[in-house]
Short mmCIF file of all heavy atoms in Angstrom, two decimals:
data_model
loop_
_atom_site.label_atom_id
_atom_site.label_comp_id
_atom_site.label_asym_id
_atom_site.label_seq_id
_atom_site.Cartn_x
_atom_site.Cartn_y
_atom_site.Cartn_z
N LEU Y 162 119.83 131.22 111.03
CA LEU Y 162 120.39 132.55 110.80
C LEU Y 162 121.67 132.47 109.98
O LEU Y 162 121.85 133.19 109.00
CB LEU Y 162 120.67 133.23 112.15
CG LEU Y 162 121.23 134.65 112.06
CD1 LEU Y 162 120.13 135.64 111.73
CD2 LEU Y 162 121.92 135.04 113.36
N ASN Y 163 122.60 131.59 110.38
CA ASN Y 163 123.86 131.46 109.65
C ASN Y 163 123.65 131.03 108.21
O ASN Y 163 124.36 131.47 107.30
CB ASN Y 163 124.77 130.46 110.36
CG ASN Y 163 125.60 131.10 111.45
OD1 ASN Y 163 125.74 132.32 111.50
ND2 ASN Y 163 126.14 130.30 112.34
N LEU Y 164 122.68 130.16 108.00
CA LEU Y 164 122.41 129.68 106.64
C LEU Y 164 121.99 130.82 105.72
O LEU Y 164 122.23 130.76 104.50
CB LEU Y 164 121.34 128.60 106.67
CG LEU Y 164 121.77 127.24 107.23
CD1 LEU Y 164 120.56 126.32 107.38
CD2 LEU Y 164 122.82 126.59 106.33
N ARG Y 165 121.35 131.83 106.28
CA ARG Y 165 120.86 132.94 105.47
C ARG Y 165 121.78 134.16 105.47
O ARG Y 165 121.69 135.01 104.59
CB ARG Y 165 119.45 133.33 105.94
CG ARG Y 165 118.43 132.31 105.51
CD ARG Y 165 117.17 132.31 106.34
NE ARG Y 165 116.25 131.30 105.81
CZ ARG Y 165 116.35 129.99 106.07
NH1 ARG Y 165 117.32 129.54 106.86
NH2 ARG Y 165 115.49 129.14 105.54
N ALA Y 166 122.64 134.24 106.48
CA ALA Y 166 123.50 135.41 106.59
C ALA Y 166 124.70 135.35 105.66
O ALA Y 166 125.20 136.38 105.23
CB ALA Y 166 123.97 135.57 108.03
N PHE Y 167 125.16 134.13 105.36
CA PHE Y 167 126.41 133.98 104.62
C PHE Y 167 126.19 133.16 103.35
O PHE Y 167 125.25 132.38 103.25
CB PHE Y 167 127.47 133.33 105.49
CG PHE Y 167 127.73 134.07 106.78
CD1 PHE Y 167 127.47 133.48 108.01
CD2 PHE Y 167 128.21 135.37 106.76
CE1 PHE Y 167 127.70 134.16 109.19
CE2 PHE Y 167 128.44 136.07 107.93
CZ PHE Y 167 128.19 135.46 109.16
N GLN Y 168 127.11 133.33 102.41
CA GLN Y 168 127.02 132.62 101.14
C GLN Y 168 128.01 131.47 101.05
O GLN Y 168 127.72 130.45 100.43
CB GLN Y 168 127.27 133.60 99.99
CG GLN Y 168 126.21 134.69 99.88
CD GLN Y 168 126.56 135.72 98.82
OE1 GLN Y 168 127.72 136.09 98.65
NE2 GLN Y 168 125.55 136.20 98.10
N LYS Y 169 129.19 131.61 101.68
CA LYS Y 169 130.21 130.58 101.57
C LYS Y 169 129.93 129.45 102.56
O LYS Y 169 129.66 129.70 103.74
CB LYS Y 169 131.59 131.18 101.80
CG LYS Y 169 131.98 132.17 100.71
CD LYS Y 169 133.42 132.64 100.84
CE LYS Y 169 133.79 133.53 99.65
NZ LYS Y 169 135.18 134.01 99.73
N PRO Y 170 129.99 128.19 102.09
CA PRO Y 170 129.66 127.05 102.96
C PRO Y 170 130.43 127.03 104.28
O PRO Y 170 129.88 126.68 105.32
CB PRO Y 170 130.01 125.84 102.09
CG PRO Y 170 129.87 126.32 100.70
CD PRO Y 170 130.31 127.76 100.72
N ALA Y 171 131.70 127.43 104.25
CA ALA Y 171 132.51 127.39 105.47
C ALA Y 171 131.99 128.33 106.55
O ALA Y 171 132.20 128.08 107.74
CB ALA Y 171 133.96 127.74 105.14
N ASN Y 172 131.31 129.39 106.15
CA ASN Y 172 130.77 130.35 107.12
C ASN Y 172 129.36 130.00 107.57
O ASN Y 172 128.85 130.59 108.52
CB ASN Y 172 130.75 131.75 106.50
CG ASN Y 172 132.14 132.30 106.24
OD1 ASN Y 172 133.06 132.02 106.98
ND2 ASN Y 172 132.28 133.07 105.16
N ARG Y 173 128.71 129.06 106.91
CA ARG Y 173 127.28 128.83 107.13
C ARG Y 173 126.97 127.68 108.09
O ARG Y 173 125.97 127.70 108.77
CB ARG Y 173 126.59 128.54 105.79
CG ARG Y 173 126.78 129.61 104.73
CD ARG Y 173 126.08 129.21 103.44
NE ARG Y 173 124.63 129.35 103.53
CZ ARG Y 173 123.78 128.63 102.82
NH1 ARG Y 173 124.23 127.71 102.00
NH2 ARG Y 173 122.49 128.83 102.94
N THR Y 174 127.81 126.67 108.13
CA THR Y 174 127.46 125.43 108.80
C THR Y 174 127.70 125.49 110.30
O THR Y 174 128.70 126.04 110.75
CB THR Y 174 128.26 124.25 108.21
OG1 THR Y 174 128.07 124.23 106.80
CG2 THR Y 174 127.80 122.93 108.79
N ALA Y 175 126.80 124.91 111.08
CA ALA Y 175 126.97 124.82 112.52
C ALA Y 175 128.22 124.00 112.85
O ALA Y 175 128.59 123.08 112.11
CB ALA Y 175 125.75 124.16 113.16
N VAL Y 176 128.86 124.35 113.95
CA VAL Y 176 130.10 123.68 114.35
C VAL Y 176 129.90 122.18 114.48
O VAL Y 176 130.78 121.38 114.10
CB VAL Y 176 130.62 124.27 115.69
CG1 VAL Y 176 131.77 123.44 116.24
CG2 VAL Y 176 131.05 125.72 115.48
N ILE Y 177 128.77 121.76 114.98
CA ILE Y 177 128.54 120.33 115.20
C ILE Y 177 128.31 119.59 113.89
O ILE Y 177 128.40 118.36 113.83
CB ILE Y 177 127.36 120.11 116.17
CG1 ILE Y 177 127.42 118.70 116.77
CG2 ILE Y 177 126.03 120.38 115.49
CD1 ILE Y 177 126.47 118.48 117.91
N GLY Y 178 128.02 120.31 112.81
CA GLY Y 178 127.79 119.68 111.51
C GLY Y 178 126.33 119.39 111.25
O GLY Y 178 125.48 119.46 112.14
N THR Y 179 126.02 119.06 110.02
CA THR Y 179 124.65 118.68 109.67
C THR Y 179 124.42 117.22 110.03
O THR Y 179 125.36 116.41 110.08
CB THR Y 179 124.39 118.87 108.17
OG1 THR Y 179 125.18 117.92 107.43
CG2 THR Y 179 124.76 120.28 107.72
N MET Y 180 123.16 116.88 110.27
CA MET Y 180 122.87 115.49 110.63
C MET Y 180 123.22 114.55 109.47
O MET Y 180 123.73 113.45 109.69
CB MET Y 180 121.40 115.33 111.00
CG MET Y 180 121.06 113.95 111.56
SD MET Y 180 121.92 113.58 113.12
CE MET Y 180 120.81 114.38 114.28
N LYS Y 181 122.98 115.00 108.25
CA LYS Y 181 123.33 114.17 107.10
C LYS Y 181 124.81 113.83 107.10
O LYS Y 181 125.20 112.66 106.92
CB LYS Y 181 122.96 114.89 105.80
CG LYS Y 181 123.32 114.13 104.53
CD LYS Y 181 122.96 114.93 103.29
CE LYS Y 181 123.36 114.19 102.02
NZ LYS Y 181 123.05 114.98 100.79
N ASP Y 182 125.66 114.83 107.34
CA ASP Y 182 127.10 114.59 107.34
C ASP Y 182 127.51 113.72 108.52
O ASP Y 182 128.45 112.91 108.41
CB ASP Y 182 127.86 115.92 107.38
CG ASP Y 182 127.76 116.68 106.06
OD1 ASP Y 182 127.22 116.12 105.09
OD2 ASP Y 182 128.21 117.84 106.01
#
Side-chain angles (χ1 to χ4, degrees):
L162 181 78
N163 274 343
L164 287 172
R165 286 158 179 80
F167 304 117
Q168 295 174 323
K169 294 187 175 180
N172 294 326
R173 304 179 75 207
T174 306
V176 171
I177 199 169
T179 68
M180 187 64 83
K181 178 182 178 182
D182 289 353

